[in-house]
Amino acid sequence: MYAALLSNRYLTSRLIPFIAIGAVGLCVALVVTVVSVMSGFLDMLKDSGRRIVGDVIVSTGLGGLPYYEELLADLRALPVVQGATPLIDTIGLLRMPYPHGPTKEVAQVQVWAIDPASLVKVTDFAEDLYWRPASGDAANALHPDDPRRSLDPEIVRDGETLTQSATGRSGIALGMHVSIGNARQADGSYLPRYGWFMPGHDVTLTVVPVSLQGRISEPREQIFPVVNEVQTGVYEVDRNRVFIPLSDGQRLLRLDEAPLYDLSAAPDENGNYPVIGRTPARVTKLLVRGTPGVHANDLRAEVERVYDAFTARIKKDGARTARAPEFVSVLTWEQQLRDLITPVEKEREMMRVLFSLIYIVCAGLILSIFWAIVVEKVRDIGILRSVGASRLGVMWIFLRYGLVIGLAGSAVGIALAWIIVRNINAIHQAIGSDAPSIMWMGAFALAAVSFVGLVRAALRRRILPMLLWLLATFVLGLVGALLFFHKGTLIWDPSVYYFSVIPDQVDWTTAWTTALGGVLFSVIGAAIPAAKAADIDPVEALHYG
Amino acid sequence: MAESASILEARSVRKTYAFGSVGVPVLLGASLAVREGEWLAVLGSSGSGKSTLLHLLGGLDRPDRDGGEIWFAGERLELAGGRRVDAYRNSSIGFVFQFYHLLPELTVLENAVLPGLVGGIGPTARARAKAATATAHEILDSFGLSHRLRHRPAQLSGGERQRVAIARALVNRPRVLLADEPTGNLDSATGSGILDLLADRHRAGLTMVMVTHDHAVAARATRMVHLNAGVVEFGAKSTL
Ligand SMILES: Nc1ncnc2c1ncn2[C@@H]1O[C@H](COP(=O)(O)OP(=O)(O)OP(=O)(O)O)[C@@H](O)[C@H]1O
Ligand SMILES: [Mg+2]
């Protein structure tokens, strides 16, 4: 009981332990914040991978996969498959409607020619369509310039079908950041920039077909009306990807069904070779989504099995005019994203290890603070021994003291990390914009107050208060100057960091293990002075203390 | 005076302090029997080893290896384990020092209760603490300190501090009080106040051993011995 009394009293009767609590808290907060953001980043990466590409991706070379409808039917017949969809993935150039005048901007894009009806069963394409008309209260809550207040209700269906319903033309859906027209707001919504609200405008897509032999043909182009825009939340995707209907993609890339000519025969009078059959339409990728609960790896094995049966069947069938490629890659979304995920995972572990080194700093700090306290308290220890306190009891005073500092520091750290992580986007936003004048004015005002304190301390000829006021004046003045000259800088550049928002969930496993580490190292730091205290000879302590 | 059994006894105790590689012998076979209910004064010149002897009697230190025996109520203290000696210091004896030795962070009341907070766990500890608090209140009250319970030692005078220290030594109702020059740091008026207070306790039945080099102080004891050249010499009070 005396241990509790004394460790509490030693704690509350001086300032130093609170500095130690602050130090432990900062260490814990730092580790928890960094690891939480990185874990959140990984989770987002993994989650978005699945949302955007489904569970399993079958990819062929440029020549594409014929008879894919058959393969899709085989796959869809599997009980483990929720949906499967064909896809052509290529690169293209997109001529934008802006700026006004004869020269237009051209964007390099990744083209996904899709079958919307089946794609929505595999990915979140339908949910990712951004422009949806708002009405009633929801509309009133929006910014006055938000286009969603006055959208044509057809826009959602147009996006889902990639068809402009008013004209019946094939449409294109752009990733949210493909055009310059969408300005992201602090709340995550978008307002048109430079007056360019893309839906309704025509854009020209140019792609380059590649023959089965790998030769490039004449580039082909087609004008599409923009029907909607897509926000996956992954900046890389939203900046590059455009969606067009599969049939248009096949035609543009010469992957559609076509007559097969006998080039060995003599051409007719018009120069045409005789038709001996038709080559089937092709796609370059299939995306497969498993039924809920099915693991991607199991699904992958099933898909591979089905594919092998499919190629064998095609090969045996003499009536076929095309062969299925023998080598396709069948990957889970995780394997597909491995190149991206692995370095981030490694980075996170490295951060964990590196930042965990600060524990040693914490332990060292506590050790030196406690050492000083033990030395100062030698006489007290002698007194305690003289009234019957045991060596372990004396040791426990300081261990308990360390434990309290560790617990309090970890609690402060977790609270701090929680506040930072939950508000990280707002904090980032604040750093990204100019400091409000009230802040630098406030800092300068406080600096002025400190200066008054400095003058008073100087008049009273007290050196310590003088030094402290001087430091306060200097630091506050510096903060004020920094705030005054601060012009918004974007730390989290979405083009570098892949996602358009910073993960804001605390990784609680990390939080608790880090807190435990904080407590452990505080106790370790306290253990050495505590052991010294236990070894103090009471007679000497009373004699010299 | 009626001959009564000795409660605390040192038998041919030797104590040597090490100064680097040299041993400095302080006690060379000192023997002393403290009788139940007596007030024994230990006299001797400075450096003669009075404090050392008191520390040995109080279990704060141990004699040299094979350096004699310390007996308390039929038990060999120098052979007892650390925990047993801790418990002995806690409840069988009380120490009073020349320089009060109060804990500066604790209040007067907390300082006086301190021995009652040592030892025991759970409900027994709480019961002990509660009893000790009641005793401390009572003693401090009788010492005229009831209005200073929440003060810190630094706010008290020397005499007041020594009274708090005595209250602390008595709070667990020990059988023997060991006092090392309890008035050595006080002016004579304050010092005699302290001695009055100790005399009250002695009359109430407390056994006391008091180290001093002041004959006037020693004169208030019921018996006195001299420590000289590392051994105890007995002298009747009347011979001084
Ligand atoms: N911890 C120690 N280490 C080494 N020598 C010590 C120690 N404690 C005491 N001594 C020495 O032992 C001798 C006896 O010391 P002690 O304190 O017992 O004397 P004392 O009779 O109480 O003297 P005083 O009247 O001055 O208090 C002294 O010479 C002292 O220097
Ligand atoms: Mg002494």
Side-chain angles (χ1 to χ4, degrees):
Chain A
M1 287 176 94
Y2 66 99
L5 178 66
L6 278 167
S7 60
N8 290 349
R9 213 45 74 77
Y10 288 167
L11 195 67
T12 50
S13 64
R14 56 201 74 212
L15 190 64
I16 283 281
F18 293 95
I19 294 173
I21 288 175
V24 173
L26 281 179
C27 289
V28 170
L30 191 64
V31 175
V32 173
T33 305
V34 169
V35 175
S36 286
V37 170
M38 294 194 73
S39 296
F41 179 53
L42 265 172
D43 288 347
M44 272 165 78
L45 203 63
K46 291 178 174 176
D47 179 59
S48 64
R50 215 169 156 231
R51 280 197 302 105
I52 296 167
V53 298
D55 289 315
V56 170
I57 305 110
V58 181
S59 318
T60 68
L62 293 164
L65 177 71
Y67 311 117
Y68 62 88
E69 288 291 0
E70 274 182 59
L71 179 57
L72 283 172
D74 290 352
L75 288 171
R76 285 173 188 145
L78 291 176
V80 291
V81 171
Q82 177 180 301
T85 189
L87 180 80
I88 299 170
D89 184 359
T90 187
I91 54 166
L93 294 174
L94 196 66
R95 207 163 86 101
M96 296 306 205
Y98 50 80
H100 297 287
T103 46
K104 301 292 184 189
E105 238 173 68
V106 173
Q108 191 185 323
V109 290
Q110 182 201 24
V111 183
W112 266 25
I114 57 164
D115 168 37
S118 58
L119 182 70
V120 297
K121 290 188 195 136
V122 178
T123 71
D124 284 358
F125 176 72
E127 291 80 8
D128 289 343
L129 289 168
Y130 183 77
W131 298 114
R132 290 160 197 280
S135 57
D137 287 346
N140 291 332
L142 295 174
H143 189 276
D145 295 337
D146 195 309
R148 286 174 292 176
R149 291 172 78 106
S150 55
L151 283 181
D152 182 349
E154 289 293 305
I155 195 164
V156 180
R157 209 159 50 82
D158 285 6
E160 282 170 1
T161 56
L162 291 180
T163 312
Q164 193 177 39
S165 47
T167 59
R169 291 162 68 200
S170 293
I172 188 168
L174 309 182
M176 210 58 198
H177 296 278
V178 170
S179 84
I180 48 112
N182 295 318
R184 191 180 167 85
Q185 305 300 303
D187 63 354
S189 68
Y190 291 90
L191 293 182
R193 183 161 32 198
Y194 316 121
W196 288 101
F197 177 64
M198 290 304 288
H201 284 287
D202 278 354
V203 291
T204 308
L205 177 68
T206 308
V207 292
V208 180
V210 179
S211 74
L212 273 170
Q213 289 74 33
R215 264 198 291 277
I216 289 173
S217 329
E218 200 65 1
R220 302 175 130 207
E221 60 177 47
Q222 182 173 336
I223 298 170
F224 290 95
V226 176
V227 287
N228 207 322
E229 285 175 288
V230 176
Q231 189 201 32
T232 63
V234 178
Y235 184 78
E236 281 298 307
V237 171
D238 293 344
R239 196 186 53 179
N240 291 315
R241 191 165 295 170
V242 301
F243 298 84
I244 58 171
L246 182 62
S247 51
D248 294 271
Q250 284 173 323
R251 202 180 55 255
L252 283 169
L253 292 163
R254 296 179 185 277
L255 291 170
D256 51 347
E257 196 186 74
L260 186 64
Y261 301 98
D262 183 358
L263 296 180
S264 59
D268 64 11
E269 61 272 19
N270 297 325
N272 291 332
Y273 294 98
V275 175
I276 51 170
R278 297 188 73 78
T279 50
R282 279 159 291 157
V283 294
T284 59
K285 276 191 167 76
L286 299 183
L287 306 183
V288 188
R289 175 69 162 238
T291 41
V294 173
H295 195 276
N297 285 328
D298 302 336
L299 184 64
R300 190 183 83 95
E302 282 286 282
V303 171
E304 264 185 338
R305 195 181 54 71
V306 168
Y307 185 79
D308 287 345
F310 165 75
T311 36
R313 195 170 70 228
I314 301 290
K315 208 171 178 179
K316 265 200 283 183
D317 186 349
R320 308 278 183 162
T321 52
R323 275 202 193 162
E326 299 227 7
F327 303 108
V328 294
S329 82
V330 182
L331 298 175
T332 64
W333 59 271
E334 230 172 341
Q335 291 168 322
Q336 183 90 2
L337 293 175
R338 192 86 323 245
D339 288 354
L340 214 54
I341 292 172
T342 312
V344 178
E345 271 174 350
K346 285 205 175 117
E347 231 170 277
R348 179 181 63 172
E349 293 321 308
M350 205 168 77
M351 287 286 181
R352 232 196 264 270
V353 171
L354 277 181
F355 279 121
S356 297
L357 288 180
I358 42 184
Y359 282 142
I360 295 169
V361 178
C362 276
L365 182 81
I366 289 178
L367 191 151
S368 49
I369 290 174
F370 277 38
W371 191 271
I373 293 176
V374 166
V375 168
E376 184 197 326
K377 290 294 167 202
V378 162
R379 195 184 60 119
D380 287 22
I381 293 162
I383 296 165
L384 286 166
R385 297 301 310 280
S386 78
V387 299
S390 64
R391 289 155 60 103
L392 286 180
V394 167
M395 193 163 165
W396 175 232
I397 296 174
F398 294 96
L399 281 182
R400 189 183 178 281
Y401 196 178
L403 189 69
V404 170
I405 286 184
L407 286 172
S410 292
V412 167
I414 287 189
L416 197 64
W418 186 73
I419 292 170
I420 293 174
V421 172
R422 294 300 298 170
N423 298 298
I424 195 154
N425 285 294
I427 294 169
H428 177 244
Q429 194 69 35
I431 296 171
S433 44
D434 298 358
S437 47
I438 182 84
M439 284 180 70
W440 59 261
M441 288 204 262
F444 281 136
L446 288 175
V449 171
S450 304
F451 186 72
V452 173
L454 172 64
V455 171
R456 281 188 43 175
L459 290 176
R460 297 207 329 259
R461 296 179 166 277
R462 299 287 299 277
I463 293 180
L464 180 62
M466 255 173 82
L467 181 67
L468 292 178
W469 283 120
L470 182 71
L471 282 175
T473 309
F474 181 73
V475 169
L476 287 166
L478 194 69
V479 167
L482 286 176
L483 287 172
F484 181 71
F485 289 112
H486 175 78
K487 295 285 166 260
T489 41
L490 215 57
I491 299 172
W492 183 275
D493 181 354
S495 62
V496 176
Y497 287 98
Y498 209 74
F499 290 101
S500 37
V501 289
I502 308 172
D504 62 356
Q505 295 297 319
V506 174
D507 177 351
W508 287 110
T509 322
T510 299
W512 297 128
T513 47
T514 308
L516 194 73
V519 174
L520 204 71
F521 276 85
S522 302
V523 173
I524 290 173
I528 293 167
K532 176 190 164 69
D535 280 345
I536 286 174
D537 173 29
V539 173
E540 275 179 45
L542 290 169
H543 201 258
Y544 301 109
Chain B
M1 181 190 288
E3 192 66 21
S4 56
S6 71
I7 176 169
L8 185 56
E9 205 176 331
R11 292 187 189 160
S12 313
V13 168
R14 282 189 301 278
K15 179 71 187 176
T16 310
Y17 285 113
F19 265 115
S21 53
V22 234
V24 178
V26 177
L27 297 179
L28 308 156
S31 295
L32 179 68
V34 182
R35 294 171 205 145
E36 183 110 52
E38 77 169 336
W39 177 354
L40 176 68
V42 180
L43 281 153
S45 54
S46 186
S48 58
K50 304 183 294 292
S51 297
T52 303
L53 180 62
L54 204 68
H55 293 155
L56 293 175
L57 289 172
L60 211 52
D61 207 350
R62 289 174 191 262
D64 293 345
R65 191 179 285 269
D66 299 323
E69 300 163 8
I70 311 276
W71 288 80
F72 173 77
E75 184 187 359
R76 293 263 308 260
L77 266 189
E78 89 282 3
L79 298 180
R83 281 176 171 276
R84 169 68 198 121
V85 180
D86 290 337
Y88 164 75
R89 283 199 306 273
N90 180 241
S91 16
S92 303
I93 58 142
F95 269 112
V96 176
F97 303 99
Q98 179 179 355
F99 297 104
Y100 331 124
H101 286 338
L102 299 174
L103 298 183
E105 270 94 357
L106 301 188
T107 64
V108 163
L109 181 63
E110 286 164 342
N111 264 293
V113 174
L114 193 62
L117 304 180
V118 174
I121 40 162
T124 39
R126 271 194 294 280
R128 258 171 66 93
K130 220 172 152 188
T133 310
T135 316
H137 269 287
E138 189 187 298
I139 299 172
L140 289 169
D141 202 26
S142 74
F143 288 179
L145 286 168
S146 46
H147 59 299
R148 322 230 42 180
L149 298 184
R150 300 194 167 279
H151 290 215
R152 295 289 160 98
Q155 297 166 296
L156 304 184
S157 73
E160 286 168 328
R161 289 186 211 184
Q162 194 61 300
R163 277 181 274 165
V164 176
I166 293 169
R168 177 180 67 194
L170 296 176
V171 80
N172 275 350
R173 305 195 184 283
R175 294 180 68 182
V176 182
L177 187 80
L178 303 174
D180 194 348
E181 311 209 27
T183 58
N185 210 34
L186 301 170
D187 61 61
S188 56
T190 316
S192 71
I194 293 292
L195 291 173
D196 290 344
L197 208 129
L198 290 174
D200 284 348
R201 291 284 151 176
H202 172 243
R203 265 193 299 280
L206 184 67
T207 309
M208 298 198 294
V209 180
M210 188 174 74
V211 161
T212 181
H213 51 236
D214 185 337
H215 284 271
V217 170
R220 304 198 51 170
T222 54
R223 186 166 72 102
M224 65 176 82
V225 294
H226 284 264
L227 196 55
N228 197 11
V231 293
V232 179
E233 297 167 348
F234 297 88
K237 193 172 175 178
S238 53
T239 61
L240 291 164

